[in-house]
Amino acid sequence: ATPMAIMIGTGMGARHGILFKHAEAIEQCARLDVVIFDKTGTLTVGQPDVVETVPAADWDEARLIEIAAAVEAHSEHPLAQAILKHAGPVTDRASDYTNIDGQGAMGRVAGRWVHLGNRLLMTAEGVAVDEIEARAESLKGAGRTVIYVAVDRRLAGVIAIADAIRPTSRATIQELHRRKVRVAMITGDNRPTAERVAADLGIDIVLADVLPGQKADEVKKLQAQGLKVGMVGDGVNDAPALTQAEVGFAIGAGTDVAIDSADIVLMRSDPYDVVRAITIARGTLRKMH
Ligand code: ADP
Ligand code: MG
């Protein structure tokens, strides 16, 4: 009966675009204690928009956007795409572009060094942010991602970006709780922004300011507490965490690397399919005993 139950479970999953890659994925999925969701592109749509620009003294909004876009023209990051969409065509791309993994980017525009990214990057570069910090903190409290822009290591302003929450994210978390599964959110984004999004969604464990290389370590920490961990992600930087987790779920619209590292692929890119996968897996396991 075991192979038969697995076959039925696999078939039921496939009808919802839930691809269990191997029989063990179903068994592990039934036993998960906690599921960690990546924030950007998983719980959110991952197509963020610029919603506000706050220039520092001596700067105007248009010039601030222009220099930020000159640097972001080199980047594939969703936040870069938001700034580029807002800026329109870039005439003057930055030279000497460098991506600063999980923190931002830098480059030279009109002979001046431009750094842009999160506050940790500003601290690392010795950029004073006091002038706008109260405004920046209130934007973060509203769930916005705030990008700081510095020119020759002096603050030129901040750009606030919003990423819509997927319509099924809230119900996903509620239903996981009903099934006695705890829910965590993991993100490279800052804590105040992450806390606000998590509160809106009813998520209890918030892992914020996590560098791309540290996501797998966060999975290990939960496993060290004796928990069976599921991890849901879409990005290249999620791949090691997907592998480390008992069950890695890849969002189908995500990167090939994430899909290759996962045990289960959610073809419809709908976080609610994690609930369906667990329901199917538990049903399948009951038939095995
Ligand atoms: P996530 O976990 O949300 O995918 P990342 O690890 O890619 O986040 O990035 C973490 C943070 O670093 C972002 O929230 C942002 O503040 C900053 N950052 C990274 N790349 C860029 C970029 N190209 N432009 C602006 N900010 C960036
Ligand atoms: Mg991501």
Side-chain angles (χ1 to χ4, degrees), residues 43-184:
L43 292 174
T44 69
V45 178
Q47 287 166 353
D49 288 302
V50 171
V51 289
E52 200 169 326
T53 310
V54 187
D58 303 330
W59 282 88
D60 72 77
E61 223 173 296
R63 185 62 186 144
L64 176 64
I65 290 290
E66 196 176 36
I67 55 163
V71 177
E72 297 286 32
H74 295 270
S75 171
E76 301 276 292
H77 200 282
L79 295 172
Q81 302 312 309
I83 290 175
L84 290 168
K85 193 165 73 175
H86 186 72
V90 173
T91 47
D92 188 18
R93 284 162 66 99
S95 62
D96 303 284
Y97 171 81
T98 310
N99 172 57
I100 305 158
D101 209 17
Q103 297 203 329
M106 62 187 277
R108 268 158 82 93
V109 182
R112 303 166 83 187
W113 280 109
V114 177
H115 288 84
L116 56 84
N118 60 18
R119 199 173 66 167
L120 295 175
L121 178 65
M122 296 297 119
T123 306
E125 294 297 328
V127 178
V129 298
D130 323 319
E131 184 188 339
I132 303 185
E133 198 47 12
R135 186 81 202 97
E137 285 304 315
S138 96
L139 286 163
K140 290 176 202 173
R144 309 301 185 215
T145 297
V146 172
I147 297 181
Y148 296 79
V149 184
V151 176
D152 287 338
R153 294 192 166 73
R154 293 177 64 152
L155 190 68
V158 300
I159 300 169
I161 293 183
D163 189 4
I165 286 174
R166 286 187 193 269
T168 54
S169 292
R170 239 192 107 75
T172 300
I173 286 129
Q174 277 174 354
E175 288 303 313
L176 288 173
H177 284 157
R178 268 184 6 108
R179 286 164 177 73
K180 303 285 177 258
V181 178
R182 294 169 71 189
V183 182

Side-chain angles (χ1 to χ4, degrees), residues 245-275:
E246 270 77 18
V247 180
F249 298 83
I251 290 288
T255 59
D256 291 348
V257 192
I259 291 169
D260 287 344
S261 309
D263 304 288
I264 300 175
V265 183
L266 309 178
M267 294 306 294
R268 301 192 296 202
S269 305
D270 181 353
Y272 197 85
D273 284 335
V274 172
V275 176

Side-chain angles (χ1 to χ4, degrees), residues 35-50:
V35 175
I36 309 174
F37 288 88
D38 171 54
K39 176 170 81 73
T40 311
T42 301
L43 292 174
T44 69
V45 178
Q47 287 166 353
D49 288 302
V50 171

